[in-house]
Amino acid sequence: MDILEINYLDVEENEEDEKIIKKVLNKCFEEEILKDKNLYVNVVLTDSKNIQVINKEHRGIDSKTDVLSFPMYEKGELDNIKLEKEDILGDMVISIEKVKEQAKEYDHSFERELAYMVVHSFYHLLGYDHINENEKKEMRQKEENILQKLNINK
């Protein structure tokens, strides 16, 4: 079973992007012990215009953003279940335009910025958030752990 489905919405298909996403999600699934849970993630790669429309439709926020996450489970809900059939962990929508902009802005490589978007969204799919300081700290530690283990630093 593949843990990933990638769809493109008004952006060119890109094998290198797919390799980065797959590598990061594999490590995320491994670290969070989800490999045997029969789950997959739907990733939509798009542009800033489309992500703005999706952001407005689903969150009521009429602005561009880098990544949107749509989880299918509540935090902790997956701890003690093994799904009989394949099921979706959630959807990630990533603006490739914003990833490129932010890579320049933060002086990161494109790979580092895309990897961060994927791992950040993955932890949102698991119910983590960064609204309060304690949750933010926990989420950031998990994100950095994945990036360090993959040696994606700059």
Side-chain angles (χ1 to χ4, degrees):
M1 181 195 88
D2 203 3
I3 62 163
L4 169 65
E5 182 178 303
I6 297 182
N7 296 285
Y8 293 86
L9 180 60
D10 296 334
V11 294
E12 290 285 318
E13 289 189 27
N14 185 308
E15 221 173 283
E16 288 304 308
D17 294 355
E18 289 186 26
K19 285 179 187 173
I20 295 166
I21 294 165
K22 187 173 280 194
K23 177 172 71 171
V24 171
L25 280 178
N26 272 315
K27 182 53 80 177
C28 289
F29 270 69
E30 181 183 305
E31 286 296 305
E32 295 299 331
I33 312 164
L34 293 175
K35 288 254 186 207
D36 68 340
K37 297 278 187 183
N38 224 358
L39 292 163
Y40 73 97
V41 175
N42 180 51
V43 178
V44 177
L45 300 177
T46 192
D47 59 16
S48 292
K49 183 180 72 110
N50 283 311
I51 206 165
Q52 182 173 352
V53 169
I54 296 166
N55 201 16
K56 184 176 181 185
E57 281 176 8
H58 292 276
R59 298 179 62 227
I61 300 171
D62 189 12
S63 66
K64 297 173 185 172
T65 189
D66 47 12
V67 64
L68 293 169
S69 309
F70 300 99
M72 296 306 217
Y73 294 92
E74 298 291 324
K75 188 173 184 179
E77 194 175 353
L78 294 169
D79 291 349
N80 299 311
I81 66 169
K82 169 111 172 70
L83 300 164
E84 295 300 317
K85 295 186 300 190
E86 188 176 73
D87 198 11
I88 188 165
L89 177 62
D91 295 303
M92 295 179 185
V93 182
I94 300 172
S95 168
I96 293 299
E97 282 179 69
K98 279 296 250 184
V99 171
K100 288 175 183 172
E101 285 173 25
Q102 288 175 183
K104 281 183 185 171
E105 182 182 334
Y106 300 128
D107 196 28
H108 292 154
S109 66
F110 176 82
E111 178 190 22
R112 164 65 172 79
E113 195 61 26
L114 179 57
Y116 179 75
M117 287 301 114
V118 172
V119 75
H120 182 77
S121 184
F122 173 81
Y123 281 108
H124 276 310
L125 295 182
L126 289 186
Y128 291 87
D129 217 327
H130 42 82
I131 294 170
N132 74 45
E133 209 44 51
N134 285 342
E135 288 178 345
K136 183 177 182 176
K137 185 177 178 188
E138 181 182 17
M139 188 172 176
R140 292 290 180 263
Q141 285 174 338
K142 288 184 167 289
E143 293 166 347
E144 288 304 318
N145 175 54
I146 298 291
L147 295 175
Q148 284 176 357
K149 288 189 173 187
L150 291 171
N151 200 26
I152 302 174
N153 305 313
K154 188 92 170 111

